[in-house]
Amino acid sequence: MTDPADGHSVRFGVNYTPRVGWFHHWLDFCADDVARDLDTIAELGVDHVRIFPLWPVLQPNRTLIRPRGLADVERVLKLAADRGLDVCVDGLQGHLSSFDFVPAWLTTWHRRGFFTDPEVIASTAAYLTALARACAGHPNLLGLTVGNEVNQFTGTVHPEPYPATERDVAAWLDAMIGALRAGAPAAPALHSCYDATWYDDTQPFTPVQAATLGDMTVVHSWVFNGTAQLYGPDAFETHAHARYLTEVARAFQTDPDRPVWVQEVGAPRNVLPEPFVAPFIEATVAHLTDTPDLYGITWWCSHDVSRSLADFPELEYDLGLIDERGRIKKEGLVLAEAMTQLRARRRAGAAAAERPSLLLDPTAVARRDLAPGGAFWERYMSVAREGGHPRVTLAATVEA
Amino acid sequence: MTDPADGHSVRFGVNYTPRVGWFHHWLDFCADDVARDLDTIAELGVDHVRIFPLWPVLQPNRTLIRPRGLADVERVLKLAADRGLDVCVDGLQGHLSSFDFVPAWLTTWHRRGFFTDPEVIASTAAYLTALARACAGHPNLLGLTVGNEVNQFTGTVHPEPYPATERDVAAWLDAMIGALRAGAPAAPALHSCYDATWYDDTQPFTPVQAATLGDMTVVHSWVFNGTAQLYGPDAFETHAHARYLTEVARAFQTDPDRPVWVQEVGAPRNVLPEPFVAPFIEATVAHLTDTPDLYGITWWCSHDVSRSLADFPELEYDLGLIDERGRIKKEGLVLAEAMTQLRARRRAGAAAAERPSLLLDPTAVARRDLAPGGAFWERYMSVAREGGHPRVTLAATVEA
């Protein structure tokens, strides 16, 4: 793991979406395909990939964790190491690009609390420990995430939510992060959420959990969340969204030096017409340049989803930096150059600049106020537009 | 396919539940494991097995039918052929032993009509055609079933039913059976239901569909449906249940010579304590001895479910004729002997005996009257107890 106290070196990576078969490649694992994908990814100049074993494929029965599934994950780690790439491994997928992959032992006749049932918790933890243990011996293991946006499965937005209270979630995250650490004590243990955690008052995964549990704060930035619709594809707010999330997230940290990782950010065509994509990539990265303790930026995603696969929302097909034939797209070149500039500026001390500050009183501000168009959001953006991105401080912290 | 007009030769088989990994073995296909399982199965004296590729494993995306998945199915056909065994291949599993295996493209965010959505119907049909085509060239292909008890996914019993009307189901079955025939024109194309089709008035899969669509009438007989609870583990009704289903089913046929297949029957321990199991097996087969045009009896199941796998209803662990170490159980020997006797009696002409007859007026009799304890059921059982199993005739047929 890069020393987060360094501040100059920001990790650059991609979320690895296999070119052949998308994440269904776990059913037909082919080392040659993965090797070829990673060769192209390495050409982008990245230092890491984030990977997504499918949960129901690796743990099809509650007490069956497939050794061959774990071995396939290890093969990806080795193939990545051969190319100088580190790997972050996510556990519970779970939710990916509109599809929910949930084992049969947690649906219909076997439906029970994803976040609350003691047997489910114990078995999910056992899976994460087994996965972490398989990865632990690999020197290029960058970290482990509980799962991709696990908060997708609860709250009021999901069509069939698994109920959970904030207290349930806190206990569950403790158990899951503990399970990762039990398997890989030396690797950063993380959890990831979609932005309902920050913006939706009905979401039981909370900002405090995201900002205090695990070894980093992880944010996923998607401007199709209303930002681009509200402000337009080239608006300051749209370009500043990822940075805004890092600042809001940091406000909830108790450790001010805890690293923040922009683990997912992408350029969705449903709200960013083609001419706006390259400027969005450049501006998003530029806005992140002076983010304090920025761990890394990991783009979603490596490869376009093949048009031969059905039912993805239209925007999901074009998010890649590499097309479905394996050729690096313009977006890949733009991002690589933007990251080079970001790193150069950080080495030159950009992160040390003076910044305005902004008070966030969580007793007076609801999560909807933090969301695109909300009262706090507007206040932040007007400060940022004038004097640069403010440091956000929780009112309680100031009083203390 | 055995000539159904023969009447003397009744097929004897087992539903193949792989000893290692249960149906999750499709994720870790191992020809040696399958070969060893089939060796033991052949020792039972059976002539066929019924197999169950998992639908989400073979068709993980609506437009991705995995060639390797189809190749694994073909490998089972070849391994079975090497042992003189025919194979019936089921498509949409779907429901198996309390677990629902449904692809992610048909759940939560992608939830839509299993039986009604045009894209789903077209893609499900494409899968069945591909599966049938892969199997078509194998001389030991006994038949293809649309799926295991597909009616589990609709009606009022399922916790998250996919709505469908009788008309929807008729059109859907036509499309699915047509899809099987398109891929394997020479193989019997079948569909299978659990007994709600016969007993539950809210079930959109109907007796007429079961008795007229496809190339045989298929019944699945499970006495945990209330029969054994109501009458006891050694009652006439419990022993006669499978036979009763064949007679009720035949009544709805328009072709009187259409074969009837007892494609699933088993001895569930939750209602049959150990001392009652062997008598149940013997009596169930004995009751079927003089069933006209009986195609075959296929026991559920070959191998016990390993106790290392979690969450099965208790009764599912002990249904095998072979234990989880691969040793033939007493049940296997009892069944093999019962089948030998059945075949000998049929050769001696048992099926030609005179039988009482019973009129079923479908305008006056609801499906609940056919169910265990219902008015028609009671009438049938009292006739059968006195004078042997009656031939059931639909009132409309008599009038015509």
Side-chain angles (χ1 to χ4, degrees):
Chain A
M1 180 179 169
T2 303
D3 179 2
D6 170 344
H8 295 163
S9 69
V10 170
R11 305 296 304 259
F12 170 29
V14 292
N15 290 281
Y16 172 39
T17 45
R19 194 177 77 79
V20 176
W22 190 63
F23 297 118
H24 305 302
H25 84 126
W26 295 108
L27 293 169
D28 288 295
F29 191 83
C30 172
D32 288 346
D33 283 349
V34 173
R36 193 204 44 208
D37 287 352
L38 294 177
D39 282 340
T40 317
I41 287 171
E43 284 180 45
L44 291 168
V46 305
D47 55 68
H48 72 273
V49 294
R50 179 170 166 238
I51 70 168
F52 305 88
L54 293 185
W55 183 23
V57 173
L58 267 75
Q59 191 178 24
N61 179 275
R62 192 163 60 76
T63 50
L64 175 61
I65 299 164
R66 293 177 49 243
R68 212 173 83 184
L70 297 176
D72 288 341
V73 173
E74 287 201 69
R75 288 163 82 189
V76 179
L77 279 155
K78 281 182 198 140
L79 291 164
D82 294 342
R83 287 150 185 85
L85 297 170
D86 290 344
V87 180
C88 181
V89 181
D90 276 38
L92 305 173
Q93 293 75 234
H95 184 86
L96 289 167
S97 303
S98 84
F99 293 97
D100 286 342
F101 299 97
V102 183
W105 50 270
L106 201 47
T107 64
T108 65
W109 297 103
H110 292 274
R111 191 172 179 85
R112 54 197 143 160
F114 188 145
F115 303 106
T116 53
D117 181 277
E119 282 185 347
V120 171
I121 292 173
S123 300
T124 308
Y127 168 56
L128 291 181
T129 297
L131 182 65
R133 189 171 289 135
C135 300
H138 294 265
N140 64 326
L141 177 65
L142 177 151
L144 293 143
T145 317
V146 169
N148 183 49
E149 300 188 355
V150 279
N151 65 328
Q152 292 269 5
F153 288 102
T154 188
T156 55
V157 177
H158 195 275
E160 300 165 16
Y162 290 87
T165 64
E166 290 185 16
R167 199 185 182 123
D168 293 333
V169 170
W172 185 82
L173 281 171
D174 264 342
M176 296 307 126
I177 290 166
L180 291 176
R181 288 179 176 150
L190 312 169
H191 72 98
S192 80
C193 291
Y194 87 108
D195 59 18
T197 290
W198 310 101
Y199 297 154
D200 176 356
D201 291 293
T202 69
Q203 171 60 240
F205 282 72
T206 68
V208 169
Q209 292 160 3
T212 60
L213 302 179
D215 295 312
M216 299 185 211
T217 301
V218 168
V219 297
H220 289 188
S221 173
W222 288 102
V223 295
F224 56 49
N225 64 355
T227 304
Q229 292 93 329
L230 200 56
Y231 298 99
D234 57 354
F236 178 87
E237 288 85 351
T238 301
H239 292 165
H241 181 262
R243 174 61 184 270
Y244 170 74
L245 267 181
T246 68
E247 297 297 339
V248 168
R250 185 174 304 291
F252 288 89
Q253 293 183 181
T254 48
D255 170 7
D257 300 325
R258 176 177 158 108
V260 177
W261 181 4
V262 181
Q263 198 188 41
E264 280 186 24
V265 56
R269 298 298 188 283
N270 65 330
V271 294
L272 298 175
E274 189 56 35
F276 298 96
V277 169
F280 172 83
I281 295 170
E282 290 164 344
T284 293
V285 174
H287 274 286
L288 288 163
T289 300
D290 61 348
T291 310
D293 296 310
L294 178 65
Y295 176 74
I297 299 175
T298 309
W299 204 260
W300 190 283
C301 56
S302 69
H303 292 73
D304 281 347
V305 175
S306 168
R307 291 274 166 186
S308 72
L309 297 175
D311 298 334
F312 288 80
E314 178 59 29
L315 73 96
E316 298 284 351
Y317 288 100
D318 297 314
L319 290 170
L321 302 174
I322 302 164
D323 72 16
E324 63 170 301
R325 295 195 191 170
R327 294 172 305 203
I328 292 177
K329 292 161 65 180
K330 181 187 165 197
E331 292 84 341
L333 303 175
V334 169
L335 177 62
E337 174 57 23
M339 287 302 299
T340 300
Q341 291 186 23
L342 175 143
R343 284 164 158 170
R345 288 197 196 110
R346 284 179 82 90
R347 275 193 302 274
E354 271 303 302
R355 308 204 282 149
S357 74
L358 192 58
L359 207 63
L360 194 167
D361 181 354
T363 62
V365 171
R367 284 190 270 181
R368 64 182 169 279
D369 299 319
L370 304 179
F376 181 84
W377 162 289
E378 292 291 358
R379 200 142 51 89
Y380 178 100
M381 291 296 174
S382 78
V383 171
R385 197 183 283 105
E386 295 302 315
H389 286 280
R391 177 184 302 276
V392 181
T393 316
L394 280 205
T397 315
V398 173
E399 284 160 15
Chain B
M1 180 177 167
T2 304
D3 180 1
D6 169 345
H8 295 163
S9 67
V10 169
R11 305 297 303 258
F12 169 30
V14 292
N15 290 281
Y16 172 39
T17 46
R19 193 178 77 79
V20 176
W22 191 63
F23 297 117
H24 306 301
H25 85 126
W26 296 108
L27 293 170
D28 289 295
F29 191 83
C30 172
D32 288 346
D33 283 349
V34 173
R36 192 203 47 207
D37 288 352
L38 293 176
D39 282 340
T40 317
I41 287 170
E43 283 180 46
L44 291 168
V46 304
D47 55 69
H48 71 274
V49 293
R50 179 170 165 236
I51 69 169
F52 305 88
L54 293 186
W55 183 23
V57 174
L58 267 76
Q59 191 179 24
N61 179 274
R62 191 162 59 77
T63 51
L64 174 61
I65 299 164
R66 292 177 50 245
R68 212 174 83 185
L70 297 176
D72 288 341
V73 173
E74 288 201 69
R75 288 162 82 191
V76 179
L77 279 154
K78 281 182 197 137
L79 291 164
D82 293 344
R83 286 149 185 86
L85 298 171
D86 290 344
V87 179
C88 180
V89 181
D90 276 38
L92 304 174
Q93 292 76 234
H95 184 85
L96 289 166
S97 303
S98 83
F99 293 97
D100 286 343
F101 299 97
V102 183
W105 51 270
L106 202 47
T107 64
T108 66
W109 297 103
H110 293 273
R111 191 172 178 85
R112 54 197 142 159
F114 189 146
F115 303 106
T116 54
D117 180 277
E119 282 185 347
V120 172
I121 291 173
S123 301
T124 308
Y127 168 55
L128 291 181
T129 297
L131 182 66
R133 188 170 290 135
C135 299
H138 293 264
N140 65 326
L141 177 65
L142 177 152
L144 292 142
T145 318
V146 168
N148 183 49
E149 302 188 355
V150 279
N151 66 327
Q152 292 269 5
F153 288 103
T154 188
T156 56
V157 177
H158 195 275
E160 300 165 14
Y162 290 87
T165 63
E166 290 185 18
R167 198 182 183 125
D168 293 334
V169 170
W172 185 83
L173 282 171
D174 264 342
M176 297 306 127
I177 290 166
L180 291 176
R181 287 178 176 151
L190 313 168
H191 72 98
S192 79
C193 292
Y194 86 108
D195 58 18
T197 291
W198 311 101
Y199 297 154
D200 176 355
D201 291 292
T202 70
Q203 171 59 241
F205 282 72
T206 68
V208 169
Q209 292 160 4
T212 60
L213 302 180
D215 296 312
M216 299 184 210
T217 301
V218 169
V219 297
H220 289 189
S221 173
W222 288 103
V223 295
F224 55 50
N225 63 356
T227 304
Q229 292 92 329
L230 199 56
Y231 299 97
D234 58 354
F236 177 87
E237 289 84 350
T238 301
H239 292 165
H241 181 262
R243 174 61 184 272
Y244 170 73
L245 268 181
T246 68
E247 298 296 340
V248 168
R250 184 174 305 289
F252 288 89
Q253 294 183 179
T254 48
D255 170 6
D257 300 325
R258 176 177 159 108
V260 177
W261 181 3
V262 181
Q263 197 189 42
E264 280 186 24
V265 57
R269 299 297 188 283
N270 64 330
V271 294
L272 298 175
E274 191 56 36
F276 298 96
V277 169
F280 172 83
I281 295 170
E282 290 163 344
T284 293
V285 173
H287 274 285
L288 287 163
T289 302
D290 61 348
T291 310
D293 296 309
L294 178 65
Y295 176 74
I297 299 174
T298 309
W299 204 259
W300 190 283
C301 56
S302 69
H303 291 73
D304 281 347
V305 175
S306 168
R307 291 274 166 188
S308 72
L309 297 175
D311 298 333
F312 288 79
E314 178 59 29
L315 73 97
E316 298 284 350
Y317 289 100
D318 297 315
L319 291 170
L321 301 174
I322 302 164
D323 72 16
E324 63 169 301
R325 295 194 192 171
R327 294 171 306 202
I328 291 177
K329 293 161 64 181
K330 181 188 165 196
E331 292 84 340
L333 303 176
V334 169
L335 177 63
E337 174 56 25
M339 287 302 300
T340 300
Q341 291 186 22
L342 174 143
R343 284 164 159 172
R345 289 196 197 112
R346 285 179 83 90
R347 275 192 302 273
E354 272 302 302
R355 308 205 281 149
S357 72
L358 192 59
L359 208 63
L360 193 167
D361 181 354
T363 62
V365 171
R367 284 189 270 181
R368 64 182 169 278
D369 298 319
L370 304 179
F376 180 85
W377 162 289
E378 292 291 358
R379 198 141 52 89
Y380 177 100
M381 291 296 175
S382 79
V383 171
R385 196 183 284 103
E386 295 302 314
H389 286 280
R391 176 184 303 275
V392 181
T393 314
L394 281 205
T397 316
V398 174
E399 284 160 13

